[in-house]
Amino acid sequence: MSIPNPLMSAVDKVKNMVSGEKGGKIAQLDGFSRTVSKDDRITTDSGVKQTTADEWLRVNRDDKTGPMLLEDSYAREKIHRFDHERIPERVVHARGAGAFGNFRLFESAEDVTFAPVLTDTSRETPVFVRFSTVQGSRGSADTVRDVRGFAVKFYTQEGNWDIVGNNIPVFFIQDAIKFPDVIHAVKPEPHNEVPQGQSAHNNFWDFVYMHEEATHMYMWAMSDRAIPRSYRMMQGFGVNTFTLINKAGERHFVKFHFTPELGVHSLVWDEALKIAGQDPDFHRKDLWEAIENGAFPKWKFGIQTIPESKEHDFEFDILDATKVWPEDLVPVRYIGELELNRNVDEYFPQTEQVAFCTAHMVPGIAHSDDPLLQGRSFSYFDTQLSRLGINWQELPINRPVCPVMNFNRDGQGRQTITKGTVNYWPNRFEVRPPATVQEGAYHDPPQAVEGIKARTKSAKFREHYNQAQMFYNSLSPPEKTHVASAFAFELDHCDDPIVYERMSQRLADIDLELAQTVAEMVGGTKPTKATRANHGKKAKHLSQTEVQPDDPTIASRRVAIIIADGFDKVAYDAVKTALKASGALPFTIGPRRSEVFPAGAEKISGNGVQPEHHLEGMRSTLFDAIFVPGGAASIDTLQKSGRAIHWLREAFGHLKAIGATGEAVQLVAKALALPGVELSDNDKIVESYGVVTIANISPDSLKGAVTIAKEGTGFLQQFWYQISQHKNFARELDGLSSQVAY
């Protein structure tokens, strides 16, 4: 059966080519927006102006305050509204951050779908994206070890399309019936509501041991993917298998991918732990800051497709959400770009009330028989009812930009007012009839279904270890070290010996050396042989070290510049200016937040530099790199500051780039005191384990445009390159980072 691609009018196409659709959603939201001004006057919700918002109406005398009166309807309304400000938080993904943006298509996918959002390259589709943690409550920290939600709402001309994904391509379970169990297990334990926002407890590890299909997923969860540096530096995956349908009615299975322009980067575990206490909103702030500074996050959008005729050509079931489609077998085809470029105006009505559903698809995109997807599509509708009410899709953030026309009526929170005398179909006026396929109606081509009604799945769903081994085999040496450390941390927090003993043995199904390392750390019995042979296979892009920017960049990187009175202003100005020119975000850190004066300057107001923060108000954990300019008096002060020394030691321990010029090299030497780290003692630039120094600096040392390249010869080039690499893992592999107390 041939299914035509619904065409836009010529006028609409011209409009989209000129300005895109991207403003459509913002314009719609503006109709619901209000800006507070000095000309406003406080009113009740019914619009009546009020003389005060500070005093309840009461019986009163000058010498005695009497009882309040219930007749004060304004005061009662104010309290009533406050009492009901909170709605039930999401059961999972409660803590999140969101932003607006747009989606551009660079290559039509008309060979596999007729969905205009994936075929019309003249469009710019407005989107809203919400990132989140999974386990914790709304008040938990951003940097806990957890899966991250990556949900995208496309406001297309054919209706809303939601990709409700994660930053990890697989999940813990194959069948949606296990949702309550896996979430109950990972949530705080019921007897004491502990721990919050983490999986390091008995119930979670008991569940995943008992549930072998979770094996692949918990390997990912123990990897660096679960502690991302930023929402902007993590991949997004649709997780489930969907289908695409082309104009000829041919069906392809599909998985959706978002790959960040900045590459995939993570925190180290000690860094993540500390940030959770020092700045629990670290990821939220990072996203907001980047957009406010014009460093708009971007992701390449890609699809993996398999023709329906090849569904059974693989050793795994392509409908199994605990499996990836290895890119060696099914390459990712990148066809578009997602950009976030506008922060929300108000968190609650936008980020909190946005509601996603995997069943939100547009013509040309459809379900598969993925058992997890089918259950999710029921669950997401259901959960929005308890959070937002039956009319949740009428909330401004959830409204489609295309017309909504049906006979749904009434219910709590109904906003649409429909005129006329009929509210049903068919009706004698023949109003609002169903659409035809030619008019763009959603339609699934016929599909044969046969089998036996039973509570089971196909045989391929019963294999749970091949891809867990493949994932681990594909990791780089530092990543494997981090996985072992993550297991050691998590199981150390399990106080039931059955739990950590079982997991110590289970890991021998993945890798014997891993199992032995973890067992020794957590007190389990050390396995002596592998319980399952490792097949040795690897796959592309499972290691995040293989998902890096096309060109090295330091754009949006946060760089701390540490100074004290008497600092070298020439070096300070040169590096700060160059950082800004490269799109990085420099922050001056001093002993105090009042002015800090450069060498030779009279200490009067206006002659100094006002730092953004002082050493005690911030920590190195909140920055990607540190630069310290010289200046004898400045360095003398910083050498006597335990906190300044700690900043450098901690940054070194967290594998971050460190740059120092002039006398500041002495400060680095005192802080690190490691014979394996070489430092400059003349006018030669020395780079050693990501520490870039030059002791004798000249005015020309910091001049010129900066081209980021490994073979760069200038100080800025070498320092920039080390920042662009995010972490210097050689420090860790050579045992240097563990020799520094931080």
Side-chain angles (χ1 to χ4, degrees), residues 63-276:
D63 61 345
K64 181 178 175 59
T65 298
M68 298 187 301
L69 301 178
L70 279 177
E71 70 181 72
D72 190 343
S73 59
Y74 170 65
R76 285 188 291 112
E77 178 187 87
K78 188 175 179 182
I79 295 297
H80 163 76
R81 288 301 304 266
F82 173 75
D83 289 344
H84 294 272
E85 281 181 359
R86 295 295 171 265
I87 61 175
E89 70 173 35
R90 291 168 168 86
V91 177
V92 288
H93 299 277
R95 181 175 181 79
F100 294 95
N102 48 280
F103 172 73
R104 304 180 191 92
L105 194 68
F106 297 142
E107 174 193 323
S108 173
E110 62 185 355
D111 55 315
V112 291
T113 181
F114 67 85
V117 66
L118 297 180
T119 60
D120 186 349
T121 55
S122 71
R123 288 192 178 194
E124 287 192 26
T125 302
V127 300
F128 186 84
V129 178
R130 186 179 187 271
F131 306 104
S132 56
T133 53
V134 173
Q135 198 263 35
S137 67
R138 279 189 65 190
S140 57
D142 280 351
T143 59
V144 296
R145 178 175 295 281
D146 199 355
V147 186
R148 297 306 191 281
F150 194 119
V152 186
K153 187 178 289 293
F154 298 80
Y155 301 100
T156 85
Q157 294 179 18
E158 292 72 38
N160 287 353
W161 172 35
D162 294 350
I163 296 180
V164 196
N166 289 329
N167 74 322
I168 290 174
V170 293
F171 200 58
F172 291 103
I173 56 175
Q174 297 170 325
D175 193 315
I177 198 172
K178 298 302 297 180
F179 261 129
D181 298 302
V182 66
I183 300 306
H184 286 171
V186 75
K187 284 282 188 178
E189 300 201 359
H191 64 295
N192 62 1
E193 189 66 11
V194 172
Q196 178 60 250
Q198 57 180 301
S199 55
H201 60 99
N202 292 323
N203 283 3
F204 173 74
W205 288 105
D206 179 47
F207 175 84
V208 296
Y209 173 84
M210 301 294 293
H211 221 64
E212 293 179 70
E213 67 194 57
T215 305
H216 189 195
M217 177 62 176
Y218 66 63
M219 294 300 296
W220 282 81
M222 293 302 103
S223 77
D224 292 342
R225 301 276 188 156
I227 45 173
R229 157 61 180 85
S230 167
Y231 292 139
R232 302 174 295 114
M233 300 175 194
M234 65 185 196
Q235 285 177 285
F237 302 93
V239 179
N240 295 116
T241 299
F242 297 83
T243 59
L244 298 176
I245 303 156
N246 64 18
K247 288 189 289 185
E250 298 166 334
R251 184 182 281 107
H252 285 72
F253 295 98
V254 64
K255 281 186 178 287
F256 299 114
H257 294 250
F258 297 93
T259 299
E261 182 185 71
L262 294 174
V264 178
H265 302 289
S266 295
L267 304 170
V268 295
W269 183 230
D270 183 77
E271 187 181 17
L273 285 172
K274 290 175 176 176
I275 295 175

Side-chain angles (χ1 to χ4, degrees), residues 484-517:
S485 297
F487 275 113
F489 179 92
E490 295 273 316
L491 296 177
D492 184 69
H493 285 71
C494 298
D495 53 17
D496 188 333
I498 294 175
V499 175
Y500 59 77
E501 176 64 30
R502 281 176 166 177
M503 283 304 305
S504 297
Q505 304 309 309
R506 172 57 53 77
L507 292 177
D509 284 323
I510 309 301
D511 183 84
L512 179 59
E513 185 179 351
L514 171 65
Q516 291 175 331
T517 300

Side-chain angles (χ1 to χ4, degrees), residues 5-25 103 115-127 153-161 361-363 399-405 439-441:
N5 186 347
L7 298 175
M8 294 187 297
S9 71
V11 173
D12 288 338
K13 285 216 170 192
V14 170
K15 285 182 179 177
N16 286 332
M17 291 174 69
V18 174
S19 61
E21 296 177 81
K22 61 183 179 182
K25 187 61 186 178
F103 172 73
V117 66
L118 297 180
T119 60
D120 186 349
T121 55
S122 71
R123 288 192 178 194
E124 287 192 26
T125 302
V127 300
K153 187 178 289 293
F154 298 80
Y155 301 100
T156 85
Q157 294 179 18
E158 292 72 38
N160 287 353
W161 172 35
M361 303 178 196
V362 292
R399 282 176 178 262
V401 295
C402 64
V404 175
M405 297 176 288
E439 292 172 318

